[in-house]
Amino acid sequence: MSGVGKQDFIIIEGANEHNLKNISVNIPLTKSTCVIGPSGCGKSSLVYDTIYAESQRHLLEFTSSVYGQKIMDKPNVRNIQHLRTALNISQKFYNVNPRSTVGTVTDISYYLRSLYSLIWNFEHKTTYSEGDFSYNNPKTWCPKCKGLGKTESIQERLVVPNEHLKLSEGAIKWYAGDSSSLPVALLEAICADFKIPIETKFCDLTKEQKYILLYRTEERTYTVKYKTPQKKVRNRKHSTRGALVEIQEKYKQLEKPSIRKELEPFLAEGICDLCQGAKLNDTIADVLIGGKNISAVESVELPELMDWINEISSSYKHSVIGDMVAYLCNTIGERIQHIISLCLPYISLGRSVPSLSGGEMQRVRLARQLSCALDGVLYILDEPCKGLHPKDIKHVVNIVKNLTTRNNTVISIEHNDEYIAGADWIIEMGPGGGPAGGEILGEYKPKREAESTYSFNDKSSFGETLIFEDIIYHNLQHINVQIPLNEITCITGLSGTGKSSLLRVIYDSVSQQKAIYSKLYKGGQNVGRIEYVEQSPIGKTSKSTVITYLDIYDKVRNLFASTEQAAKAGLSASDFSMNTPGGRCEFCEGTGWKKVDLQYVPVNLVVCPECHGKRFTDNILEVKYKDYSISDVLDHSIQEIKDIFKDERAIYSSLLNMEALGLGYLKLGQLTMNLSGGESKRLKLAKALGKLGRKHILFLIDEPTAGLSKSDIQKVSSVLKQLKEQGHTIVLVDHNVGFIAHVSDYMVDMGKIPGNGRKSSVIEGSPYYVYNHPDSSWS
C-alpha cells in the first residue's frame, strides 16, 4: 500500500504478547484486513490480546480516576498509533440466560412491544405500557413458567437411557459411577438385599424388580464402603428409596445450584402447559394485533414476520397514529432485513440466545451493528464465516464492505478462501503454532485463486446401516435418513436446514437404543459407545484447564504423590490439585491469576503476586517427578513434556492425540477459556480419542474444520481416516467442500431451504451423487 500516508494505518510496533516475537505491522484504516495462519500462530494474540486490549485500556483510562486504581495492564507492545475505539464481535459470547433472545439482543423486541402498546391503546383506550408486553415482567408473565414458555420435569427415559445395559454397566444413571463410588456401592447393597442379579439387563428385569429400583417408597438403610471424589475411603450408613422417588424429592429444591447440577442429567424441557409457550398471562396473551399476539409474532421465521410488519404498516397508513406506526414498522423491518442478509432467515425473534451457535450469535450481533449509526469504529470479527455454507459467504463479504464504506475499519480472523479474497489487505502469520509461531510471514493484497476442482467418492454399496424413519424434530419434518457404519458420513446443507438437529436425533436414538424424535430406529446394536463432539464452548471459568478437560490430572497428581519426596513430606494427590485447598496458592486459589472484575469494566486477569503464576506453595514445588515440578508440567508445552509420561499409557496416549491434532504447542495448564474455536474443537476431539478402547465407537462431530487452517485440516482428516480404518464410524457436519471431498464415503444433504419451510426429504448417497444432484445445496 505504498504512497499512502502513515496516518492512514494503525501502526503496531514491537508486539510481544504471548508468543508474538517483537513483531511490527501496519493495518490500513477504513479497510477490511484479514489475519490468517495456522491455529496457535498468534492471530488472537495480535488482534485480541494486543490491538483490542489496548483499545479497551485507552477507553478505560478515565475510569481509573474513578476507581482510584489501574484497571488494565498495558499489553506487551512497545507502541500503537492511530488506534480507534474497538468493538469485539467475536464468537466467545457466553450468554447462558434463557431470557435473552434474538429480539432482545437486537432491540427489535423493544420496538415490537412499543408497536403493540401504541396500537392497542389507540383502538381500545386501555393503558398498556411497552413493558407490559415483556416476558420478563412479573406483573404480566405466565405465573407457572415465569415468562420462559417452558418448564422442566424429571424424565424417566433419562434415568434409564438405555434399557439394554446391565445394572452393573450403569443402566440406571442415578446409580452410575466408578466401581468404588457411593452410587455403585448403594446399588450393590440394594441388589443384594432384594436378591436382584446385578449383571441383568434392565429390560430383562421383572416388573417387581423395576419397581424396587425406581419407585420404592419404603426407606432402607445400608452401611456401605466407598471412595469420595477426592479418593478418601468412607464407611457410613446411607438411607435410600427408589431412584425416581429420590430424584423427585430432590426436584423440590431445584432452585439450589448444587441440586440443579445433580439433577441436570434427568431434566427435560417441555412447553408450559398453562400458557402453551406464550410466556404471558391470559390478559396480555389475548391482546391481538393483526390477528396475532406478541408471542406468536416472535415465534415465526423472519420472512413471515416481515410480511406481518408490512401488513400492519399498510393497515394504519391513513390513521391518526399512521406516522408513529410507520416509524416503528420501518425500524423493525430494517433490523430484520439486516439479520436476513446475514443468512439467518430461519431464526425467530423469540429464539433463545443460548441455543444459537457461535457463528449464528456473531452474525446476530453483527446485524445489530448494521442498525447503528456508528462510523469511525474498529470492528473485530472472529471467524465470521463459521457455520456458513459456501454459497452464503458472499453475503458476509458484502456486509463487511458496507461497514468499511461507512468509514469503519474491520479486522477479521478467518480461514475461508472466498472471504479472504474479498478483503482489502492480508496479514499472514506463522509459520506454526505456539513457540513456532508469532511471526509476520507476509502483508499483501489478496489474490483471487482459480476455482478448485474436487474428486468425490462414488462408492455405491455399504454394509450395516443405521436407519431413521419419519424424523420430526425442530425443523426436521418427516424425513428419512440412513447412516452406514464403519464409514465417514458428511451431513451438509444451508444454515438452518437442520444439520445439527439431525446429529442430536442420531445421538439420542443410538445412546438410548430406541426411536427418539422418529417413528423407527434400527441398526445400532453393534455400536459400543457414542462420542458427541458438539459446538458448545468449553471452559468458561479460570478453573478449567487443558489438563483438567482431558481428564488426566488425577493420574498426573497420583504420580507426584507416589514420589519419595512426597511420601517423606506426607503429601497426598490432593495436595497437587489446583482446585482444592492444601498445596495450592490460596491467594489465587490455584489459578496463577487474580481477576480484576469491576462493574462496567471487562474482566482482566493479572499474574498472582504471591505465587507469581506457579499456582502452588513452595513445599509442593520442591517435589519433582523426573526432574519436573507440578508447575513445570503445567507450564511446559505438551511437545516438551510428553516423553516423561512415556511409561504411563493413559496420559501418554492423550498427549499423543493432542500432538496428532496439531495441538502439541499447548500447555497442560493453559486456560481453556482462552483457546481459539479451532483449538477448542480439536481439544474436544482429543478427549474423545482418549477413550477409544476396543468397542465400536460412533463419533458425531459438529464442524470439525471450523476455525482451522489448511494444514490443521489435513491433520484432522488424517485422524478421522485412522479412526475409520480402526473400525469406527464417523458422522460429521461440515461446509468445507475440499475436506468433504477428501474424507467422505457417504453424504446426507439437507437441501436448499432453511427453516420450517424446508422440503420433507433429503438427498443421500455417494458424495459424487449428492454433490451433483440438482436439488442438493451444492447445485
Side-chain angles (χ1 to χ4, degrees):
M1 307 202 97
S2 60
V4 181
K6 285 196 172 183
Q7 68 274 13
D8 295 321
F9 292 88
I10 299 172
I11 301 172
I12 298 102
E13 298 173 331
N16 287 283
E17 193 70 27
H18 299 318
N19 64 337
L20 300 182
K21 296 174 179 173
N22 198 37
I23 65 172
S24 296
V25 66
N26 296 338
I27 297 174
L29 290 167
T30 68
K31 302 290 183 184
S32 168
T33 295
C34 225
V35 183
I36 65 174
S39 289
C41 70
K43 301 185 298 295
S44 293
S45 296
L46 173 62
V47 175
Y48 285 100
D49 302 325
T50 302
I51 299 172
Y52 178 66
E54 182 66 353
S55 174
Q56 288 294 289
R57 190 178 72 86
H58 281 300
L59 191 63
L60 296 170
E61 274 184 342
F62 297 111
T63 311
S64 62
S65 62
V66 176
Y67 289 103
Q69 60 178 299
K70 182 172 70 173
I71 303 301
M72 294 181 68
D73 289 328
K74 184 180 186 296
N76 192 353
V77 59
R78 188 167 66 251
N79 185 39
I80 299 183
Q81 299 178 44
H82 309 141
L83 186 57
R84 294 186 172 187
T85 301
L87 289 178
N88 174 16
I89 316 294
S90 75
Q91 304 212 19
K92 292 181 180 178
F93 184 76
Y94 299 133
N95 186 338
V96 295
N97 186 350
R99 295 188 181 280
S100 184
T101 65
V102 171
T104 59
V105 298
T106 58
D107 292 334
I108 298 175
S109 288
Y110 168 78
Y111 292 103
L112 187 61
R113 295 194 300 263
S114 298
L115 182 67
Y116 265 77
S117 172
L118 171 66
I119 294 176
W120 185 261
N121 291 340
F122 170 70
E123 291 190 339
H124 299 274
K125 310 303 179 185
T126 311
T127 305
Y128 280 136
S129 70
E130 167 269 325
D132 289 330
F133 293 92
S134 171
Y135 311 126
N136 300 323
N137 187 342
K139 292 194 303 181
T140 53
W141 68 22
C142 167
K144 183 169 184 179
C145 67
K146 294 181 170 59
L148 292 174
K150 298 177 181 179
T151 54
E152 291 178 311
S153 60
I154 301 297
Q155 298 289 308
E156 183 175 337
R157 65 180 176 84
L158 298 177
V159 179
V160 186
N162 187 348
E163 295 185 351
H164 298 280
L165 288 179
K166 299 176 182 177
L167 293 175
S168 62
E169 294 174 330
I172 302 176
K173 206 167 182 178
W174 184 247
Y175 295 123
D178 294 336
S179 58
S180 58
S181 65
L182 175 59
V184 172
L186 283 173
L187 175 65
E188 291 172 346
I190 295 167
C191 287
D193 186 12
F194 289 98
K195 297 181 174 53
I196 300 173
I198 200 168
E199 295 301 320
T200 305
K201 291 182 179 180
F202 186 88
C203 59
D204 294 333
L205 296 173
T206 65
K207 286 185 178 180
E208 182 182 357
Q209 289 170 331
K210 290 179 180 178
Y211 175 84
I212 290 168
L213 292 169
L214 296 180
Y215 307 104
R216 173 174 47 89
T217 57
E218 174 199 359
E219 188 172 85
R220 294 207 178 184
T221 302
Y222 304 100
T223 300
V224 292
K225 184 177 180 180
Y226 61 96
K227 287 184 180 179
T228 68
Q230 291 75 35
K231 306 303 180 186
K232 293 181 180 179
V233 178
R234 295 282 186 267
N235 197 345
R236 294 178 181 171
K237 289 183 178 181
H238 282 269
S239 297
T240 180
R241 293 172 291 175
L244 273 167
V245 175
E246 292 201 345
I247 292 171
Q248 291 288 1
E249 188 64 29
K250 289 201 172 194
Y251 179 74
K252 297 174 183 177
Q253 306 176 63
L254 193 63
E255 70 279 357
K256 294 183 179 179
S258 59
I259 298 295
R260 170 168 283 281
K261 184 177 180 181
E262 186 179 9
L263 299 187
E264 198 76 43
F266 314 111
L267 293 171
E269 280 188 344
I271 300 297
C272 175
D273 56 10
L274 180 61
C275 67
Q276 300 302 315
K279 304 181 183 180
L280 300 165
N281 63 29
D282 290 343
T283 302
I284 297 296
D286 287 342
V287 174
L288 305 182
I289 304 294
K292 295 178 181 290
N293 65 26
I294 194 167
S295 179
V297 170
E298 290 209 339
S299 67
V300 300
E301 294 180 1
L302 297 185
E304 185 179 342
L305 178 54
M306 283 292 288
D307 292 340
W308 181 85
I309 287 293
N310 291 334
E311 288 175 12
I312 296 299
S313 182
S314 177
S315 298
Y316 291 90
K317 186 175 182 180
H318 301 294
S319 73
V320 174
I321 59 171
D323 289 344
M324 289 184 285
V325 169
Y327 167 75
L328 291 171
C329 287
N330 289 339
T331 302
I332 293 169
E334 179 185 272
R335 291 175 182 242
I336 290 172
Q337 198 55 54
H338 286 319
I339 301 176
I340 292 175
S341 70
L342 281 162
C343 317
L344 297 170
Y346 55 89
I347 279 184
S348 65
L349 294 185
R351 176 84 176 268
S352 172
V353 164
S355 73
L356 299 175
S357 70
E360 287 173 331
M361 188 61 235
Q362 182 173 222
R363 279 178 278 148
V364 166
R365 293 172 69 206
L366 188 56
R368 186 180 188 278
Q369 293 303 319
L370 292 174
S371 303
C372 298
L374 294 177
D375 60 26
V377 170
L378 169 59
Y379 286 96
I380 294 179
L381 309 182
D382 181 18
E383 299 174 43
C385 298
K386 184 176 181 180
L388 286 182
H389 192 280
K391 286 189 173 181
D392 292 332
I393 304 300
K394 61 180 179 292
H395 300 297
V396 182
V397 172
N398 290 336
I399 293 298
V400 170
K401 287 181 178 177
N402 181 300
L403 288 173
T404 58
T405 56
R406 286 161 47 181
N407 199 36
N408 296 301
T409 303
V410 178
I411 302 176
S412 307
I413 294 175
E414 187 52 80
H415 301 281
N416 180 272
D417 289 340
E418 184 176 354
Y419 182 90
I420 293 169
D424 299 305
W425 194 244
I426 306 297
I427 296 173
E428 183 177 355
M429 298 187 66
E439 300 177 23
I440 301 294
L441 302 185
E443 302 173 64
Y444 47 85
K445 287 184 178 181
K447 303 164 187 171
R448 170 66 74 169
E449 297 181 4
E451 288 192 14
S452 303
T453 55
Y454 304 101
S455 176
F456 285 89
N457 193 322
D458 199 14
K459 188 173 182 177
S460 58
S461 61
F462 300 91
E464 188 179 354
T465 304
L466 298 176
I467 298 173
F468 305 84
E469 293 185 1
D470 201 18
I471 297 172
I472 304 175
Y473 180 64
H474 289 170
N475 53 343
L476 302 178
Q477 297 296 315
H478 304 289
I479 69 168
N480 303 327
V481 170
Q482 296 188 24
I483 305 291
L485 296 179
N486 308 115
E487 308 284 2
I488 298 177
T489 295
C490 289
I491 301 174
T492 63
L494 297 182
S495 295
T497 50
K499 303 181 295 297
S500 295
S501 295
L502 179 56
L503 281 188
R504 173 54 60 181
V505 171
I506 296 171
Y507 176 80
D508 286 352
S509 300
V510 177
S511 61
Q512 298 180 44
Q513 281 300 294
K514 57 186 176 184
I516 305 291
Y517 312 120
S518 65
K519 288 189 177 176
L520 174 69
Y521 156 73
K522 62 181 180 180
Q525 59 271 15
N526 292 326
V527 175
R529 200 174 78 246
I530 186 166
E531 289 287 344
Y532 191 1
V533 183
E534 54 186 330
Q535 287 280 12
S536 59
I538 61 175
K540 301 175 187 178
T541 72
S542 57
K543 293 288 185 184
S544 178
T545 58
V546 171
I547 193 171
T548 56
Y549 188 80
L550 288 173
D551 288 337
I552 59 174
Y553 195 25
D554 285 351
K555 299 178 180 66
V556 171
R557 292 191 293 110
N558 287 334
L559 289 177
F560 275 90
S562 68
T563 62
E564 188 176 337
Q565 281 176 289
K568 285 182 179 178
L571 299 174
S572 67
S574 62
D575 291 312
F576 295 90
S577 170
M578 296 178 282
N579 300 322
T580 58
R584 72 181 185 181
C585 168
E586 288 305 319
F587 190 74
C588 64
E589 297 184 332
T591 63
W593 304 89
K594 286 298 288 183
K595 183 167 67 171
V596 178
D597 191 3
L598 299 173
Q599 192 175 16
Y600 306 123
V601 178
V603 171
N604 188 34
L605 298 177
V606 297
V607 176
C608 173
E610 291 289 321
C611 67
H612 305 289
K614 295 293 185 181
R615 299 182 175 93
F616 298 93
T617 56
D618 290 343
N619 65 316
I620 298 297
L621 296 174
E622 288 172 0
V623 178
K624 301 293 177 67
Y625 175 77
K626 295 187 178 179
D627 297 326
Y628 286 82
S629 71
I630 186 69
S631 183
D632 293 333
V633 168
L634 296 174
D635 291 333
H636 280 70
S637 72
I638 289 170
Q639 292 165 334
E640 293 173 307
I641 54 94
K642 72 176 190 300
D643 286 341
I644 71 170
F645 300 111
K646 220 165 192 176
D647 299 327
E648 304 298 327
R649 183 177 175 183
I651 301 173
Y652 191 59
S653 63
S654 283
L655 301 186
L656 289 181
N657 289 333
M658 291 285 284
E659 220 175 16
L661 289 165
L663 296 175
Y665 60 86
L666 291 184
K667 298 173 183 178
L668 288 175
Q670 202 159 333
L671 297 179
T672 53
M673 65 188 291
N674 291 339
L675 299 180
S676 69
E679 288 169 335
S680 297
K681 183 59 64 66
R682 283 178 290 158
L683 177 58
K684 285 186 178 184
L685 184 54
K687 181 178 181 178
L689 294 176
K691 306 174 185 175
L692 276 183
R694 297 179 181 177
K695 291 183 177 179
H696 176 182
I697 301 175
L698 170 61
F699 287 91
L700 305 179
I701 311 175
D702 202 350
E703 297 190 46
T705 70
L708 300 189
S709 65
K710 291 178 181 178
S711 60
D712 292 326
I713 290 173
Q714 289 173 354
K715 294 184 179 75
V716 172
S717 299
S718 177
V719 169
L720 295 180
K721 288 197 167 188
Q722 288 175 25
L723 287 173
K724 178 198 166 184
E725 290 169 5
Q726 294 168 12
H728 303 297
T729 301
I730 298 98
V731 181
L732 53 91
V733 167
D734 214 276
H735 300 92
N736 186 310
V737 64
F739 167 77
I740 293 168
H742 182 61
V743 302
S744 61
D745 305 297
Y746 192 81
M747 205 160 160
V748 177
D749 190 81
M750 311 304 290
K752 304 175 181 180
I753 306 174
N756 293 323
R758 63 176 306 298
K759 291 184 179 178
S760 58
S761 62
V762 299
I763 301 98
E764 58 183 329
S766 76
Y768 178 85
Y769 166 78
V770 173
Y771 186 77
N772 292 289
H773 195 285
D775 293 328
S776 81
S777 65
W778 303 99
S779 64

